[in-house]
Amino acid sequence: MSTREQIIKKLAPKEFNTLGVIWVALLSIVSLAGIIAYIDQIRRGLEVTNLRDYAIWGVYISNFVFFVATSFVGAFTASILRLSQKKWRTPLVRIAEMVAVAAIAMAGVAIILDMGRPDRIPYLFMYPRLQSPIAWDIIIITIYLAFSVMLLYIPNIPDFAILKTFYKDKPFLSKVYGFLAINWTGSAKQIKIHQKSIKVIAVSMIPLALILQSVDAWLFSTTYRIGWDSTNLGPYFISGALVAGIGALITAIYMVRRFNHLEEFITDKHFDKLGRLLVFACLVYLYFNMNEYLIPAFKSTQGEAEHLQELFFGQYSLMFWFAIGGGLILPSILLMFRKMRKPFPMFIIAILVVVTSWWKRYIIVSPALLHPFMPIQGVPEEWSHYFPSLHEWLITGGTLALCILIITIFVRFIPVVPIQRTLDEMEITATENDKN
Amino acid sequence: MEDKSKNSRRSFLDKSLKLGLLGVVGGVVATKLVDATAQEGDTVRVLTQDGKVMEVDSNAVKDIQHSHESEDYNVREGFPGRKFVMVVDLAKCKNALKCVDVCHKEHHVHTPNAWLKVFKMKDNENSSPYWMPMFCQHCDKPACVTVCPVDATFKRRDGIVLIDNERCIGCRFCMAACPYNVRIFNWGEPVQPGIEKDHHGTPEFGGKPSVIGTVDKCDFCPHAIAKGELPHCVAACPTGVYYFGDLYEDTVTNGEETVKFSKLIKDRAGYRLYETMGTSPSVYYLPPVDRLVEFEDSDYSYEQVKHVPIPTEEKE
Ligand code: SF4
Ligand code: SF4
């Protein structure tokens, strides 16, 4: 059996190896390209995008929706897992929390990228109007961000205390961990408060996450647009978020496990469980997709018929069927086999799911805008199509890279598998006089 | 610079609209209608509440203080005691595009950023095609106002929906929400020769200047109404397609004839666009039946409206 020191050593955050450095450099370059493109966008206005008066929202908004969805699942699964007293969940929770924080922070950024006047952000607080779904969104994102940071930070306090002593020979790092550990000693009283606060945060996180995702759906369903004007949109978005988020989570867990050599802690069993969860999410989402597309197709009111025609057979059909077939049906079939629920096949499937989920968001946002009630006339022909411009791709790529970069930095400095908790579970008590 | 016909239309409107108000509100409230030029023995025409035109001696008309002169006039509140409506007679529209021209000139916008477009419509296979001018419907339950997070787009008591482009954050939610797709976004720096860019405009005169990263749309020309003029498109239309007026006064005019609004809508089966959506527009359309002008087909395309020139000189 491993000793306490060995476990701490194994689980303490590792410095980047060469591969890690290359990885970070790559992400930084992509982020930087995005930042440069954004500066140009500020200078010249949204003209640099391919958005125009009909396609008023595009890839920035679908990207925003994607981040919200990913974050939703991070926090949602983390809370559920925390509240369920299952032992196996320990190594998964923290990665989920990291994903949640990084994604919601980038969701906030993504929505700013879409604004015509980012210099006027303060107006949102100076002249807020509460009946606007955007106001709801801003309120919920702020609260949610605060809670997801707490959900990541508070459970980490005992680990920070451990790391403070562990890094004794690195005074600066030790000091930072010491600061973050806010005098954690592990006394019974502290543990009690600690447990209680985690529980409160985890419980509040669930309704917050549901509200976040619903408000996101309502941004669309409060309009009259064909394709958005649907009472199904709330649960449709929530179930879609489950798919996207679990996919992202599996990808993140696989990468972290691989590069931090945590095979001992994140086992095949975990992947098996996540695989089952993903199948479940895909099936639920398929069900809501049926509600969303097949029922209107059955009635085929004029606007809906045109819109669905475009999706099923028209210019979006390739993306649409790729998203439905490749992103939902195929993964649910594959993952029914035990063999496919092994880490590596799961990783590939998860990537497929994430990519198609991202496209799915794009299909939800763009085509609906190009089917207005009034005809599109008196504008250049190009305005009735939309495909993102180079600026939009660079900026969007930048946000995705930045999100992964944030997660990477978290992984670098925060133990991905909770140390204290693992020790507790393995019933290894400290050699010092630990009252627990 | 204004031509004569416009002048006479303007003074006509002045009298008819303002006198119209006299008839309303039980004849108790009158408005300031006699200007210094009215002389003894002059008669003026008055529209009574039941729609009859009467001639009365101008001395019989009392000059009373209008409520909006006693209050501080507020851009966000609008003209007190008024509710503007527009009626568009589709039977008369022949796609002359004079409205588009003048709108572009006055508001310093240009194609494809038109606030006013003339659509070629055909409702179904068997019905005949017609031209339909389309612009902001100044809804009484405006979807755009409901969703604006910063109160940049607002509804006034006189029915007009305006945009404060000093406030707008460019989120474009209003554009997503408006079912009529009449809003225009300034994606880049607007090309407006002769307009000072650092000049702070008023929401009551859209396009002076248009601001990058904000939304624009038809403003119902409150700047013209304030001067007693008709909105530019109404005054410019050669066939008198547009009628503009006040719902409370129940009168609308296209500059040539002044008619009772309720009667016009009733007789000609006036309708509003997408009534079922509940947006309650202030713009009414008269169906394109009993055409007064033939529908001359033209290949309606972007090329056709592109000719509208970029205005080069500042007016006034
Ligand atoms: S037509 Fe559109 S922009 Fe105009 S008031 Fe109605 S919803 Fe607003
Ligand atoms: S684009 Fe401007 S006017 Fe429209 S909703 Fe946003 S802030 Fe309001």
Side-chain angles (χ1 to χ4, degrees):
Chain A
M1 203 166 173
S2 337
T3 67
R4 178 183 159 92
E5 277 63 42
Q6 275 172 327
I7 295 214
I8 296 181
K9 195 153 180 252
K10 241 183 231 157
L11 294 181
K14 309 238 163 13
E15 271 177 37
F16 294 130
N17 52 14
T18 340
L19 205 64
V21 173
I22 296 174
W23 172 248
V24 171
L26 212 71
L27 290 175
S28 311
I29 291 170
V30 180
S31 311
L32 204 66
I35 292 170
I36 293 171
Y38 183 60
I39 291 173
D40 194 43
Q41 175 178 308
I42 296 216
R43 237 166 30 92
R44 286 160 57 194
L46 284 169
E47 200 174 38
V48 298
T49 65
N50 276 348
L51 299 167
R52 289 298 175 259
D53 286 347
Y54 288 94
I56 51 160
W57 287 343
V59 80
Y60 295 154
I61 294 290
S62 46
N63 195 33
F64 160 75
V65 178
F66 175 77
F67 278 130
V68 170
T70 309
S71 177
F72 159 77
V73 172
F76 196 70
T77 35
S79 318
I80 301 261
L81 290 177
R82 270 204 188 283
L83 293 174
S84 73
Q85 295 297 326
K86 297 264 184 324
K87 263 191 181 173
W88 60 267
R89 53 95 178 161
T90 308
L92 303 184
V93 175
R94 194 153 291 163
I95 300 180
E97 288 159 358
M98 290 176 182
V99 171
V101 174
I104 196 67
M106 288 324 287
V109 171
I111 200 139
I112 293 171
L113 300 177
D114 185 70
M115 281 172 59
R117 295 303 296 241
D119 54 319
R120 294 182 181 172
I121 290 173
Y123 290 3
L124 283 166
F125 305 96
M126 289 157 68
Y127 315 103
R129 298 187 83 217
L130 276 185
Q131 89 275 43
S132 166
I134 293 198
W136 313 341
D137 219 5
I138 284 160
I139 295 169
I140 188 69
I141 288 183
T142 332
I143 299 177
Y144 181 91
L145 179 64
F147 269 79
S148 56
V149 169
M150 285 199 288
L151 191 62
L152 177 62
Y153 171 64
I154 293 183
N156 249 313
I157 295 174
D159 286 4
F160 286 140
I162 291 176
L163 290 175
K164 181 188 164 197
T165 28
F166 181 73
Y167 284 117
K168 270 195 297 275
D169 41 345
K170 288 184 186 154
F172 178 70
L173 210 56
S174 172
K175 215 167 173 184
V176 174
Y177 284 126
F179 174 75
L180 289 172
I182 44 174
N183 291 330
W184 175 266
T185 53
S187 68
K189 196 173 154 216
Q190 279 187 345
I191 289 177
K192 206 170 147 213
I193 298 174
H194 189 235
Q195 292 301 342
K196 208 169 180 180
S197 9
I198 293 177
K199 208 173 214 160
V200 169
I201 296 167
V203 170
S204 3
M205 208 68 209
I206 294 172
L208 280 177
L210 288 173
I211 296 172
L212 172 81
Q213 194 54 45
S214 306
V215 167
D216 194 29
W218 296 337
L219 279 184
F220 299 95
S221 61
T222 47
T223 68
Y224 297 93
R225 301 270 168 179
I226 296 160
W228 293 351
D229 180 10
S230 153
T231 46
N232 183 39
L233 230 56
Y236 173 60
F237 268 48
I238 290 178
S239 55
L242 280 177
V243 175
I246 295 173
L249 204 57
I250 294 172
T251 322
I253 290 175
Y254 180 85
M255 306 259 278
V256 171
R257 169 180 125 123
R258 182 80 211 271
F259 293 111
N260 282 19
H261 306 290
L262 296 172
E263 282 83 355
E264 192 185 324
F265 301 93
I266 307 175
T267 60
D268 285 11
K269 196 177 123 200
H270 291 113
F271 278 88
D272 187 74
K273 287 227 189 319
L274 284 169
R276 288 160 195 258
L277 201 60
L278 185 56
V279 177
F280 172 71
C282 282
L283 292 178
V284 174
Y285 191 39
L286 259 177
Y287 169 73
F288 281 108
N289 268 287
M290 276 163 60
N291 283 288
E292 188 59 26
Y293 295 110
L294 293 186
I295 301 305
F298 184 87
K299 284 182 288 192
S300 280
T301 49
Q302 193 193 17
E304 291 284 359
E306 272 170 38
H307 174 63
L308 294 174
Q309 172 77 20
E310 281 283 292
L311 287 183
F312 293 169
F313 312 107
Q315 52 170 324
Y316 298 100
S317 55
L318 204 69
M319 269 186 231
F320 180 80
W321 292 116
F322 178 50
I324 298 280
L328 291 179
I329 298 175
L330 190 70
S332 0
I333 295 174
L334 288 181
L335 289 175
M336 297 213 178
F337 299 99
R338 187 175 292 272
K339 257 200 210 131
M340 285 292 161
R341 293 198 299 267
K342 293 271 171 270
F344 186 69
M346 283 266 294
F347 175 60
I348 302 293
I349 293 172
I351 288 185
L352 181 72
V353 167
V354 172
V355 173
T356 51
S357 296
W358 195 91
W359 279 117
K360 190 74 205 290
R361 303 287 168 299
Y362 179 83
I363 291 174
I364 294 172
V365 173
S366 281
L369 285 167
L370 294 170
H371 286 96
F373 293 103
M374 302 307 296
I376 300 183
Q377 287 183 6
V379 295
E381 212 275 324
E382 311 88 85
W383 289 24
S384 46
H385 314 285
Y386 167 71
F387 193 77
S389 71
L390 180 66
H391 278 79
E392 288 177 87
W393 283 125
L394 285 177
I395 293 172
T396 306
T399 59
L400 292 168
L402 214 54
C403 180
I404 302 174
L405 195 62
I406 296 176
I407 298 175
T408 312
I409 291 171
F410 280 157
V411 172
R412 168 68 188 82
F413 293 105
I414 300 173
V416 276
V417 175
I419 303 173
Q420 185 63 54
R421 179 93 201 178
T422 311
L423 292 175
D424 289 350
E425 274 167 17
M426 293 180 152
E427 279 151 13
I428 299 171
T429 39
T431 35
E432 303 102 46
N433 53 345
D434 195 329
K435 285 186 197 106
N436 195 23
Chain B
M1 249 221 213
E2 272 152 352
D3 61 336
K4 249 207 194 135
S5 69
K6 202 167 163 192
N7 256 338
S8 65
R9 267 185 202 167
R10 181 214 283 199
S11 62
F12 185 86
L13 170 81
D14 222 15
K15 288 208 179 90
S16 59
L17 276 187
K18 286 187 174 170
L19 284 176
L21 193 69
L22 185 69
V24 186
V25 206
V28 181
V29 184
T31 177
K32 184 197 118 187
L33 74 144
V34 196
D35 28 34
T37 56
Q39 275 166 28
E40 184 123 5
D42 277 357
T43 54
V44 284
R45 283 190 292 170
V46 175
L47 196 68
T48 61
Q49 203 169 9
D50 50 352
K52 291 196 194 90
V53 178
M54 268 169 51
E55 283 210 6
V56 295
D57 195 284
S58 62
N59 288 338
V61 183
K62 283 213 189 78
D63 190 2
I64 63 145
Q65 263 236 323
H66 203 279
S67 53
H68 82 251
E69 280 160 49
S70 49
E71 284 170 25
D72 272 341
Y73 178 72
N74 182 341
V75 174
R76 284 184 175 255
E77 295 290 336
F79 304 104
R82 328 249 357 219
K83 169 74 185 76
F84 298 108
V85 284
M86 178 99 93
V87 181
V88 182
D89 188 350
L90 299 177
K92 289 188 204 154
C93 181
K94 58 174 188 182
N95 192 29
L97 294 178
K98 290 284 181 278
C99 51
V100 179
D101 266 313
V102 73
C103 179
H104 287 197
K105 198 140 85 237
E106 295 292 336
H107 294 287
H108 299 265
V109 295
H110 53 88
T111 325
N113 289 336
W115 302 355
L116 167 55
K117 288 180 191 147
V118 181
F119 285 160
K120 180 178 167 182
M121 302 294 283
K122 191 165 166 22
D123 294 343
N124 61 56
E125 266 170 49
N126 301 322
S127 68
S128 58
Y130 59 93
W131 298 108
M132 186 173 91
M134 187 67 204
F135 45 92
C136 173
Q137 308 284 303
H138 295 271
C139 310
D140 286 345
K141 293 183 189 136
C144 55
V145 172
T146 315
V147 300
C148 181
V150 292
D151 211 4
T153 188
F154 55 92
K155 174 84 181 166
R156 312 202 303 181
R157 277 190 291 190
D158 59 9
I160 299 182
V161 175
L162 292 179
I163 301 166
D164 180 354
N165 59 19
E166 307 258 300
R167 173 77 64 82
C168 172
I169 58 166
C171 63
R172 308 191 291 292
F173 201 174
C174 54
M175 299 179 78
C178 168
Y180 304 100
N181 261 79
V182 294
R183 293 182 155 245
I184 299 299
F185 193 71
N186 293 302
W187 298 98
E189 187 61 64
V191 186
Q192 295 183 302
I195 291 273
E196 277 173 58
K197 280 294 152 184
D198 47 5
H199 163 77
H200 294 284
T202 151
E204 292 197 312
F205 205 152
K208 284 176 111 181
S210 287
V211 178
I212 182 171
T214 66
V215 176
D216 271 341
K217 69 167 185 68
C218 158
D219 59 5
F220 250 29
C221 298
H223 49 279
I225 300 171
K227 287 194 273 177
E229 292 174 27
L230 287 167
H232 307 301
C233 50
V234 182
C237 180
T239 43
V241 168
Y242 301 95
Y243 292 80
F244 188 77
D246 188 323
L247 187 75
Y248 298 153
E249 292 167 3
D250 201 16
T251 347
V252 286
T253 177
N254 64 356
E256 265 137 33
E257 52 167 351
T258 304
V259 285
K260 207 173 168 207
F261 168 75
S262 52
K263 189 164 183 310
L264 182 68
I265 297 301
K266 208 180 279 168
D267 291 353
R268 299 278 310 278
Y271 65 96
R272 300 187 289 188
L273 290 178
Y274 296 110
E275 186 76 57
T276 47
M277 286 187 186
T279 46
S280 237
S282 299
V283 178
Y284 293 74
Y285 286 84
L286 303 180
V289 288
D290 299 332
R291 301 287 177 88
L292 301 176
V293 288
E294 278 302 303
F295 180 86
E296 262 177 67
D297 201 7
S298 63
D299 227 4
Y300 188 85
S301 69
Y302 174 53
E303 296 307 315
Q304 195 197 342
V305 285
K306 219 167 75 178
H307 76 280
V308 181
I310 295 177
T312 46
E313 39 155 357
E314 243 288 39
K315 276 195 69 176
E316 282 168 57

